[in-house]
Amino acid sequence: MAITHRGPDDSGTWVDGAAGIALAHRRLSIIDLSPTGHQPMISRCGRYVLTFNGEIYNYRDLRRDLEAGGAAFRGTSDTEVLVEAIAAWGLEKTLDSANGMFAFAAWDRKERLLYLARDRFGEKPLYFGEVAGHLLFASELKALWQHSSWQGQIDRASLAVLLRHGYIPSPHSIFSNVRKLYPGSFARITTSAGRFAVHEQRYWSPEPIPRDLQGQTGSLTGQAAVDAVAEALEQAIGRQMVADVPVGAFLSGGIDSSLVVALMQRSSSRPVRTFSIGFAEAAFDESHYARAIANHLGTQHTEMIVTPEDARAVIPSLPVIYDEPFADSSQIPTLLVSRLARRDVTVSLSGDGGDELFGGYTHYRDALSKWQQAQRTPAALRSLASQLLRATPLPWLNALSWPARALGPFRGKSHIPDRLKDRYQIMGATSFPEFYRASISAWTDTAQAVPGSIEAETVHFHGRAWPRSDEMGHMMYMDACQYLPDDILVKVDRAAMAVSLETRVPLLDRHVAETSFRIPIETHLHDGRGKWVLRQILERHVPKEMFTRPKQGFMIPVNEWLCGPLKPWADGLLDPVRLRDQGFFEAATVRRRWEQHVRGSTNWTAQLWPILMFQQWLEANGQKLGTISQAA
């Protein structure tokens, strides 16, 4: 019942007591609404049992191939195609052939082993971990909490990385005994002498295809790149519009969502259902852009203008929806637009993925500019300054900066010592990967707030490099590996599934992505703005003056709310006595920044919101989780 929202239409269980395995499923019926789509599903040969969340978009093609090999089918679902493919071809060939979004568990009754698998970009979630001698797995953490022996130990290393990024990257979770399966991976799990052996393997990663792009072999440039992406995207949208329930799309009026909707409308004989929300606060309202695009394309458009009260009312439900702490505040409007769409459709396409695959984020250009500025100062001097800042205690920085804060240009700016402490990693960066990691971090020195923590390792931690050496490629690769699956796709999946809405992301179709990897960075940045290829395609359907404007994103005024209507809520969660008693955060550091924020000395929203989301999560879920303790 804990994840009924992910599948309100049907449920099922399959148990083999002798083997010690039980599978359960909640179904949101999208393709083949009949009982032949019921799960868990057993292959015709009886060897494999499958519980599957997601969609296989090329299931019709796979079915034809299986039928050519002699397979027979009872129904028309993509679930049946998936389990029969595993039975006929094995897991690895099936994963290589499947184009879709998915997380699934497949039990091999003959070999008595369990497979867990996740789609290429991690659109669908999969948690697993050992609890009291049992291996548990599920789409959401709250399903694991239902086990009678559940115990959850907060992982301080993951808490630290939450403060850095605002989310907890794979393979980590907020609990030390639970992990996420990496995107593009599968796990093979066996038992021996009562112990679990888990072997994880990557079957796909977002690397260039082919790998020797520096030599430009097989690369796509200019109009050839535009045509190739347009063709791949049209085919992807055609596959993703297939459903036995109503389908629509989110429309913000930006490049990515407008392009998805334009191609949907081109292939549809009826007006496409589109949905957007706007804000009563004019500075954050972009609904008129979406409305103009919808009118131009002729969609059946629905919009809702929300008040600040509407948006703030969502906050208490966030710890239940995002069942580990998650601090991207655009989760609030994402939930609101998902609720709006679910009134009329069961499936909604979105424009996510365009920035990571086609170089669209404004912070890419900002990071490159700041790195170039930093390099004007000799590296040895930057390193020395960084070491001095790190070594100087905060009270000394307070004393040293007192004249400037009392009399000089920084008069009244009590936050200056804290800002200096925050900048030492950026200042001392010796490589661009190190600089980029620091520049996108809310807390650059997480030990200031989570005392005694050793931060969880991530792809950024190692500076895992894009196979090319250029800085732009590195940022796009890092974001495709981590920010996209662990922030953007988490935000959309949990918000939509909370209201039983399936979201699909055409720009992350395998063939669209692999086409984008063949495009040199110079083409993505053809006119210095990023996403040149996508803008060229969109111009074929929408006048460019309708979408040429600065990127804003799904923003809400959290800064102003924390100083106004949310102040009592935040003040209670950040009470220093409470923080000291809980023992997770350094109370003095957090409280000092909170007071600086409330006074208007500086904007610490990026640093405070992850802490507030953890505190709200702990307050909302603490009693449900059984035993919760701090990890050693």
Side-chain angles (χ1 to χ4, degrees):
M1 297 299 290
I3 56 172
T4 300
H5 55 277
R6 296 191 75 91
D9 300 326
D10 188 22
S11 64
T13 58
W14 180 87
V15 180
D16 183 342
I21 179 78
L23 301 179
H25 186 262
R26 295 292 321 193
R27 187 181 185 200
L28 177 63
S29 301
I30 303 293
I31 294 174
D32 188 355
L33 310 185
S34 76
T36 59
H38 178 79
Q39 296 188 51
M41 185 177 290
I42 304 174
S43 63
R44 289 183 68 91
C45 66
R47 177 173 175 176
Y48 294 95
V49 188
L50 177 74
T51 178
F52 157 58
N53 173 33
E55 301 290 340
I56 306 299
Y57 301 128
N58 65 334
Y59 77 99
R60 291 172 172 170
D61 296 334
L62 300 183
R63 178 172 175 141
R64 282 193 291 270
D65 292 343
L66 289 164
E67 287 174 332
F73 292 85
R74 297 175 289 252
T76 59
S77 72
D78 56 337
T79 304
E80 188 176 6
V81 170
L82 181 59
V83 74
E84 295 303 333
I86 294 170
W89 301 334
L91 182 76
E92 293 189 50
K93 181 180 177 181
T94 298
L95 289 172
D96 184 61
S97 302
N99 186 356
M101 58 170 186
F102 51 82
F104 66 79
W107 172 246
D108 183 339
R109 300 170 76 180
K110 178 181 178 182
E111 298 294 332
R112 290 203 170 191
L113 65 86
L114 178 71
Y115 291 111
L116 302 178
R118 198 172 177 206
D119 66 70
R120 291 172 175 81
F121 281 102
E123 292 182 57
K124 287 299 175 185
L126 206 167
Y127 293 86
F128 69 101
E130 189 171 348
V131 176
H134 302 279
L135 184 89
L136 308 180
F137 57 91
S139 293
E140 296 184 14
L141 273 174
K142 62 173 67 70
L144 306 186
W145 304 343
Q146 310 308 308
H147 194 276
S148 58
S149 300
W150 167 261
Q151 290 187 344
Q153 190 176 56
I154 302 293
D155 186 358
R156 295 177 68 82
S158 294
L159 182 57
V161 82
L162 170 70
L163 265 59
R164 178 178 294 277
H165 294 299
Y167 56 90
I168 300 173
S170 302
H172 311 288
S173 84
I174 192 59
F175 296 114
S176 57
N177 58 332
V178 178
R179 58 190 281 122
K180 307 181 187 96
L181 188 64
Y182 271 118
S185 297
F186 69 89
R188 185 179 187 272
I189 304 172
T190 57
T191 58
S192 177
R195 298 180 64 87
F196 294 103
V198 180
H199 174 71
E200 294 183 59
Q201 182 175 327
R202 297 292 289 266
Y203 67 87
W204 190 89
S205 61
E207 296 177 355
I209 309 283
R211 296 170 188 268
D212 59 345
L213 265 182
Q214 276 190 306
Q216 302 299 298
T217 303
S219 64
L220 293 166
T221 61
Q223 196 59 42
V226 174
D227 292 340
V229 173
E231 181 180 2
L233 188 54
E234 286 181 13
Q235 292 175 355
I237 287 173
R239 286 189 291 267
Q240 295 193 21
M241 289 179 70
V242 174
D244 296 328
V245 293
V247 177
F250 298 143
L251 178 59
S252 69
I255 292 168
D256 303 332
S257 67
S258 298
L259 178 55
V260 168
V261 170
L263 295 179
M264 288 177 70
Q265 190 58 71
R266 182 184 180 190
S267 65
S268 176
S269 59
R270 295 180 296 179
V272 170
R273 296 298 306 259
T274 55
F275 305 90
S276 68
I277 63 167
F279 295 95
E281 294 152 303
F284 297 90
D285 182 38
E286 290 193 300
S287 61
H288 53 287
Y289 296 124
R291 191 183 316 126
I293 296 288
N295 289 339
H296 176 80
L297 295 175
T299 72
Q300 185 178 347
H301 190 60
T302 303
E303 70 176 41
M304 178 177 67
I305 304 299
V306 299
T307 66
E309 292 73 26
D310 294 330
R312 291 194 296 268
V314 167
I315 292 174
S317 65
L318 295 179
V320 178
I321 295 170
Y322 296 85
D323 53 6
E324 66 178 342
F326 182 76
D328 183 337
S329 61
S330 63
Q331 65 197 124
I332 296 173
T334 302
L335 178 58
L336 292 170
V337 75
S338 296
R339 286 178 177 173
L340 178 66
R342 188 60 180 91
R343 298 174 187 176
D344 298 304
V345 300
T346 310
V347 174
S348 183
L349 275 62
S350 83
D352 295 306
D355 290 301
E356 293 84 0
L357 297 184
F358 294 90
Y361 283 124
T362 55
H363 73 248
Y364 291 158
R365 295 188 291 280
D366 292 342
L368 289 173
S369 175
K370 290 175 182 177
W371 176 240
Q372 291 167 0
Q373 292 174 17
Q375 289 182 300
R376 294 171 188 166
T377 303
L381 187 59
R382 285 189 286 114
S383 177
L384 177 62
S386 173
Q387 293 174 36
L388 287 173
L389 279 177
R390 184 176 188 178
T392 304
L394 192 66
W396 289 21
L397 283 178
N398 265 316
L400 292 171
S401 64
W402 180 84
R405 291 184 290 112
L407 304 170
F410 301 108
R411 183 176 181 180
K413 304 295 185 182
S414 60
H415 67 285
I416 295 301
D418 290 277
R419 283 291 185 199
L420 288 171
K421 271 289 188 185
D422 257 9
R423 289 190 60 81
Y424 81 82
Q425 286 189 357
I426 297 177
M427 188 178 298
T430 58
S431 66
F432 183 78
E434 186 181 350
F435 176 85
Y436 184 58
R437 175 177 181 254
S439 69
I440 60 171
S441 300
W443 292 81
T444 56
D445 185 357
T446 55
Q448 291 183 71
V450 186
S453 63
I454 299 176
E455 192 173 324
E457 294 187 3
T458 68
V459 292
H460 280 284
F461 190 90
H462 291 294
R464 182 181 175 188
W466 172 263
R468 293 180 62 187
S469 60
D470 59 277
E471 290 89 354
M472 186 69 182
H474 173 80
M475 291 186 288
M476 292 167 63
Y477 179 66
M478 286 289 112
D479 285 356
C481 287
Q482 181 173 301
Y483 177 61
L484 176 65
D486 293 312
D487 185 312
I488 301 300
L489 297 178
V490 168
K491 174 183 66 179
V492 175
D493 174 81
R494 304 306 191 279
M497 294 306 291
V499 296
S500 305
L501 175 73
E502 177 172 285
T503 50
R504 299 177 176 180
V505 190
L507 285 163
L508 297 184
D509 174 90
R510 175 186 183 176
H511 301 298
V512 175
E514 291 179 353
T515 301
S516 80
F517 300 153
R518 296 175 58 198
I519 300 174
I521 299 299
E522 296 76 17
T523 300
H524 289 307
L525 301 178
H526 180 74
D527 54 5
R529 293 163 53 198
K531 285 203 288 200
W532 178 80
V533 170
L534 297 187
R535 287 188 283 112
Q536 294 302 301
I537 301 171
L538 183 55
E539 271 192 57
R540 299 174 177 178
H541 309 281
V542 176
K544 65 179 179 180
E545 57 268 19
M546 295 185 71
F547 61 85
T548 303
R549 62 181 186 279
K551 184 177 179 65
Q552 180 170 319
F554 229 175
M555 296 174 60
I556 57 173
V558 175
N559 174 31
E560 290 84 352
W561 292 356
L562 287 177
C563 295
L566 291 182
K567 181 181 175 183
W569 166 76
D571 201 50
L573 292 175
L574 301 180
D575 177 77
V577 175
R578 180 179 191 162
L579 293 174
R580 282 193 292 269
D581 288 346
Q582 292 170 335
F584 293 110
F585 299 113
E586 175 55 55
T589 299
V590 173
R591 191 67 189 184
R592 185 175 62 255
R593 295 199 179 190
W594 169 239
E595 291 172 352
Q596 291 171 356
H597 184 90
V598 171
R599 285 199 305 268
S601 176
T602 191
N603 181 359
W604 289 118
T605 302
Q607 289 78 13
L608 293 170
W609 193 250
I611 297 173
L612 288 166
M613 287 294 96
F614 175 83
Q615 292 291 93
Q616 178 82 357
W617 174 84
L618 195 63
E619 181 177 82
N621 294 310
Q623 292 184 343
K624 298 184 219 172
L625 302 185
T627 301
I628 294 186
S629 61
Q630 296 185 47

